[in-house]
Amino acid sequence: MKNILIIDNSEYLTGANKSIAKFAKALGGSCKFHWAVTKAISQDDLAEIVENDIVRRFRFTEISTKLSAGVLYFPRLIQNSFGLLRMVKEHDIAIVHVNDCYNMCGILLKILNRKIKVVYHVRLLRNSYIGPLYSSFIRVIKRYADAVVCCSNAVSNDVGNLPNKIVIYDSEFFDEAADDALHVHLQPKRIVYVGNILPGKGQDWAIKAFALVQEDFPETKLYFIGKYDHNGVSTNFKKTVDSLIDELGLEGKVIFEGFKANVDDELRRADIVLNLSESESFSMVCLEALKAGVPLIASDCGGPAELFKHMESGWLVPNKDFVAAAVAIRTLANSNEIRLRFSKRGQESARATFDVANNCVQLDALYQKVLNG
């Protein structure tokens, strides 16, 4: 039984931590997982990803343009790394698995003790919010990490050449039998958009696209499902989105439903799932929609292009092109045949490629390879 420490400093419930949690659950027979998470993540969000594993909270601080964060970053990095080092020794950790490229604690652990095996899971594209620092992070990871996991080929291309690099797709649990609850309503009434309310997540593009088709489908509404935190970044973006709704006369047509514990149930209630993120290294939301058998429209922003085949099992629209997204919504809303095809083939292709029961074998083999040197 290998002891694996997962370091995840996301403050939100994201596709990244949901994905690694699914792998941890699937590998529960051969690995014992321990978690180092940020104190900023809520207990409810943490309960969504961690069941009976050992969890310890840290005051992770990300590099930021804010002076306060910049002053705190390096002292916190050193403090957290020594705390993690104690955790490694206490629980006889075999491998430290850092669940994204911007947390340098794994690197400092390696510097403090070269015997520690460190795996980095890169889940961001070069054009993401850490863009200016991306090359620096990747350069350090290439030097010190024992292995690098990329969650998609898009990420692998951005990371570049590396002998100890592997692509392992984020994955989902699929039931033995096909979902017999697939359905296509004659008149779509519920367009669902899942994502935390943050800049770059695409809710603004979705509102602009919906405004172009709303008069044609007066009974259809756009539902946003995701967390809205009362911090500076989230608050400012929510204000922008609210102003857009007022400007376009969509009051009562765009509904914010907040965080939902069971996203699968919400997706199954949808007639169309929309995801217009500006940068996605993979997109667990898109995979969850495909798994649920719901017709999907997604932006060509990185990972989503690898999840489905355009016009066969989903609709891929150019990034930040709300007019093209509106065309896709209108076409799907008017075509039972296309929506049913997307529903069936999307679910079939997702099951074939992204089943965690199959893909966890790759991660387990990587762990063993790292341990064997």
Side-chain angles (χ1 to χ4, degrees):
M1 183 73 73
K2 300 181 286 289
N3 285 305
I4 311 295
L5 172 60
I6 297 175
I7 301 177
D8 190 308
N9 65 326
S10 174
E11 297 181 3
Y12 301 90
L13 183 63
T14 67
N17 48 37
K18 288 168 67 176
S19 172
I20 196 64
K22 288 181 170 66
F23 278 109
K25 185 176 181 180
L27 291 175
S30 61
C31 303
K32 173 64 178 175
F33 286 89
H34 307 252
W35 293 75
V37 301
T38 175
K39 290 187 176 182
I41 192 169
S42 72
Q43 192 59 45
D44 288 341
D45 283 354
L46 188 60
E48 286 288 305
I49 58 173
V50 179
E51 294 181 348
N52 300 316
D53 299 334
I54 296 172
V55 179
R56 191 168 297 176
R57 289 175 175 270
F58 292 82
R59 292 189 181 277
F60 290 120
T61 300
E62 297 179 25
I63 287 181
S64 170
T65 54
K66 293 182 179 179
L67 179 61
S68 59
V71 169
L72 286 173
Y73 179 77
F74 287 103
R76 285 268 174 85
L77 174 62
I78 295 170
Q79 179 185 18
N80 290 331
S81 296
F82 277 103
L84 289 164
L85 189 61
R86 288 192 295 271
M87 195 174 178
V88 167
K89 293 178 180 178
E90 179 183 348
H91 297 287
D92 192 25
I93 298 298
I95 295 174
V96 174
H97 187 145
V98 186
N99 199 36
D100 220 324
C101 62
Y102 53 81
N103 189 322
M104 291 290 102
C105 283
I107 300 303
L108 195 51
L109 280 175
K110 189 73 173 180
I111 293 172
L112 291 170
N113 185 346
R114 298 290 293 185
K115 293 181 179 179
I116 294 175
K117 303 295 185 181
V118 177
V119 172
Y120 262 83
H121 210 131
V122 184
R123 297 181 175 279
L124 289 175
L125 296 172
R126 188 173 294 276
N127 66 354
S128 65
Y129 67 93
I130 66 162
L133 296 170
Y134 191 89
S135 295
S136 298
F137 283 136
I138 297 301
R139 188 160 45 249
V140 174
I141 288 169
K142 284 181 178 180
R143 180 176 179 181
Y144 289 101
D146 295 281
V148 175
V149 180
C150 300
C151 66
S152 66
N153 287 310
V155 169
S156 180
N157 291 336
D158 274 359
V159 167
N161 294 327
L162 190 63
N164 58 349
K165 177 184 71 173
I166 185 173
V167 174
I168 302 178
Y169 281 127
D170 290 348
S171 303
E172 266 284 357
F173 287 103
F174 287 85
D175 296 331
E176 291 281 336
D179 190 340
D180 57 4
L182 298 180
H183 65 279
V184 174
H185 293 151
L186 292 176
Q187 177 61 58
K189 295 183 179 180
R190 190 176 179 89
I191 299 175
V192 169
Y193 198 113
V194 179
N196 294 321
I197 311 301
L198 292 167
K201 283 299 183 182
Q203 287 89 352
D204 46 351
W205 300 112
I207 290 168
K208 292 177 182 179
F210 182 65
L212 296 179
V213 303
Q214 196 277 320
E215 289 186 2
D216 297 336
F217 308 101
E219 296 184 9
T220 303
K221 293 184 179 180
L222 174 62
Y223 294 85
F224 288 125
I225 297 171
K227 179 167 291 188
Y228 160 53
D229 279 351
H230 296 279
N231 58 44
V233 175
S234 188
T235 298
N236 290 337
F237 185 62
K238 181 64 161 53
K239 288 178 181 178
T240 299
V241 168
D242 286 340
S243 297
L244 196 57
I245 292 171
D246 292 339
E247 177 187 333
L248 297 173
L250 295 175
E251 297 86 353
K253 299 293 184 180
V254 178
I255 314 297
F256 289 87
E257 298 208 322
F259 170 79
K260 297 287 184 178
N262 196 329
V263 173
D264 288 345
D265 286 348
E266 297 300 322
L267 290 173
R268 288 191 178 92
R269 294 174 58 204
D271 297 303
I272 295 172
V273 170
L274 195 60
N275 188 304
L276 302 181
S277 290
E278 296 177 11
S279 178
E280 288 284 355
S281 58
F282 182 80
S283 182
M284 280 298 294
V285 170
C286 289
L287 177 55
E288 289 165 344
L290 295 170
K291 175 189 173 182
V294 184
L296 171 67
I297 300 169
S299 55
D300 189 5
C301 62
E306 299 177 44
L307 273 69
F308 61 87
K309 188 173 181 180
H310 176 55
M311 296 309 296
E312 180 176 308
S313 48
W315 193 310
L316 199 67
V317 299
N319 198 4
K320 303 181 185 180
D321 190 339
F322 67 91
V323 176
V327 171
I329 294 171
R330 182 179 288 109
T331 303
L332 286 186
N334 283 323
S335 176
N336 261 15
E337 185 273 328
I338 296 177
R339 281 185 284 125
L340 186 59
R341 183 174 76 242
F342 283 8
S343 177
K344 290 183 176 180
R345 295 184 182 176
Q347 192 179 63
E348 290 169 357
S349 63
R351 181 189 298 274
T353 308
F354 305 108
D355 190 336
V356 72
N358 297 325
N359 292 351
C360 71
V361 176
Q362 290 180 280
L363 184 57
D364 199 26
L366 177 68
Y367 285 160
Q368 198 58 51
K369 182 178 179 181
V370 167
L371 289 175
N372 292 338

